Amino acid sequence: MKHIRNNEIRQKRGFTLTPKDFGVSSQSKRGFTLIETLVGITILVLAMVGPMTIASRGLQSSFFAKEQFIAVSLNQEAIEFIRKIRDENALNSNSWLTGIPASCTGQSGCGIDVRNDLFTDCVTTDACRLSYDSAVLSGNRGFYTYTAGSPTQFTRVVHLFVNGDEAMVRSTVSWQSSIF
């Protein structure tokens, strides 16, 4: 075997240099075998699956967090609406339950359409399914309502539990996640 040192190449008169002159055998010129190729592809696939899984989980968590944020906002909106009625009744010297239908204190609960100041009796789950009305505001903003817009996966039911001079308001928003 010949070694090349300091970039010296021994030239032969009338002959061209071959890989053998550089210490490379003719066996190693043939390329990769099928097994080496499969092992390389497997390593490449495994290197790609990990980051893709992490990205997919992150995207799924992001969409679920958005839905959770909407549900919390819808709950807060319903409780604030009941609080508004209580305050208006106190200013007008009325019983604080004035204007709140009996269905809210009943077994099935009620739905509250804050935009239109309406109550809906929730005898079925679909009766309290919210719709999203984006036509009222420009861009991606709008209102959740029972009367207009396209149906959403969110359902809001409000229950009032009255005990003498006290009451507890429970607003429940449920939804079927639409992602993955």
Side-chain angles (χ1 to χ4, degrees), residues 140-159:
N140 290 331
R141 303 176 312 159
F143 292 102
Y144 285 89
T145 178
Y146 294 107
T147 56
S150 54
T152 66
Q153 72 266 33
F154 296 102
T155 303
R156 177 173 59 194
V157 179
V158 178
H159 289 91

Side-chain angles (χ1 to χ4, degrees), residues 161-168:
F161 302 98
V162 180
N163 184 11
D165 291 341
E166 294 182 3
M168 180 179 76

Side-chain angles (χ1 to χ4, degrees), residues 126-141:
D126 283 337
C128 284
R129 182 167 309 282
L130 291 163
S131 296
Y132 185 72
D133 187 7
S134 61
V136 293
L137 298 172
S138 62
N140 290 331
R141 303 176 312 159

